[in-house]
Amino acid sequence: MRSQSLWRSLALLQSASTRSFVNTGSGRRAFQTANSRVPDFAFAFDIDGVLLRSSKPIPGAAESLALLKEQNIPFLLLTNGGGKHETERVAEISEKLKVPLEPEVIVQSHSPFAELVRGPDEQSALENKCVLVVGGEGDRCRQVAQMYGFKNVVTPGDIYMANPSIWPFRSFKSYYEKISKPLPNPKDPNDPSRGLKIDAIFVFNDPRDWALDAQIITDILLSSEGVIGTISEKNGRADLPNWGFQQDGQPHLYFSNPDLWWAAAYHLPRLGQGGFREALEGIWAAVTGGPAKGVELKKTIIGKPYQGTYEFAEHQLLRNRARVFGSDAQQPLRNVYMIGDNPESDIRGANSYRSEHGSKWHSILVRTGVYNGGEPAWTPTTIADNVHKAVEWALKNSQWRS
């Protein structure tokens, strides 16, 4: 076990004098300790409730990341949060923790959406198609989607401002006036045959205006081929799968974050994007008859705890590892320690994940966020008081010595 003094920033700075630059073989240079070797383990950290609480650093978080950086131990920030581009988010975290971080170390809930810009083939690529982006503060999620490469991005606010009668309540009109953009290829909002066609729906971040967002998503899912203002004649047909709902070329619906709760400044957890999804599921069931009638809301959910998000994160970890260690990174990554505060996402995801690379994921639950004691819904490998203690446990478990 390393002494407590090594957790102090001063000790980390002093130890830098024993390091030398080496070429990693990838065109970049990285620090190497005098007794360096390639770790066969890595870390994945949740952010809210683990490193930060209401944007304020949790004690021990900065020292933990600084130690891992100093020891060249790979780590990733794996969060169900989002709403900002990775470069902006990691810059904010770096400033708050006073630890320099690169964009490559963060995977946000919506990061995998970037893979859909070009897709596996030209037909499924969404780069030049019209996508609806929902959620987030102001216009930020639109900007993130555009930075990912989506060229035709609309928001519920754009649709509302093009035809305010689509939602008769005007409480947020002044808000949308500031952030809305003209619709691409403007259509006649009063002529459904010439309405705007939506090719995919992405819930990027927690919606702020649940009512408008739910109304517009429902309209599109009931439409013919995703054309706003139309209604599919297949809806309710018993001779079709899902009673005809979502069987008429409607766009696919994607959610980036399943979390029902998240840790904010208030002393009790707050509803997250998962809360909005549950509300939308309730509306859909009321409109279509729902599970009682054999109708489901067809959608894709990513984010922790889902397998796809952990696969995406592991691939990013391996890329980062190769960037630092070059050809030496061919040594297997045997263990990954997922440190989180939410049993339903962090712990469940790590426990359930099956790595195609043979890595074993261990779950460490901390007491500084959503989890506040008792028997967790998903049993972690271990429970730690905070991220500092969690990292200590993992280093000891991996028999790491400086």
Side-chain angles (χ1 to χ4, degrees), residues 30 65 77 189 218 225 265 276 318 342:
L65 296 189
L77 309 185
T218 301
E225 300 183 351
F276 173 76
L318 293 171
N342 191 328

Side-chain angles (χ1 to χ4, degrees), residues 106-123:
I106 190 168
V107 172
Q108 300 187 101
S109 63
H110 48 65
S111 296
F113 287 164
E115 301 290 313
L116 298 177
V117 172
R118 291 180 174 82
D121 52 60
E122 185 175 350
Q123 184 176 0

Side-chain angles (χ1 to χ4, degrees), residues 1-2 7 41 43-45 50-51 60-61 63-65 67-68 73 75 337 339 364 366 382 384 386-398 400:
M1 179 67 65
R2 298 179 61 83
W7 291 92
F41 64 97
F43 287 84
F45 296 92
V50 175
L51 302 176
E63 293 82 359
S64 297
L65 296 189
L67 176 65
L68 299 183
I73 298 172
F75 65 86
Y337 298 98
I339 301 177
I364 306 178
V366 295
T382 190
N386 52 49
V387 65
H388 181 156
K389 295 293 185 182
V391 170
E392 277 190 339
W393 182 91
L395 293 176
K396 182 177 180 180
N397 189 65
S398 289
W400 181 255

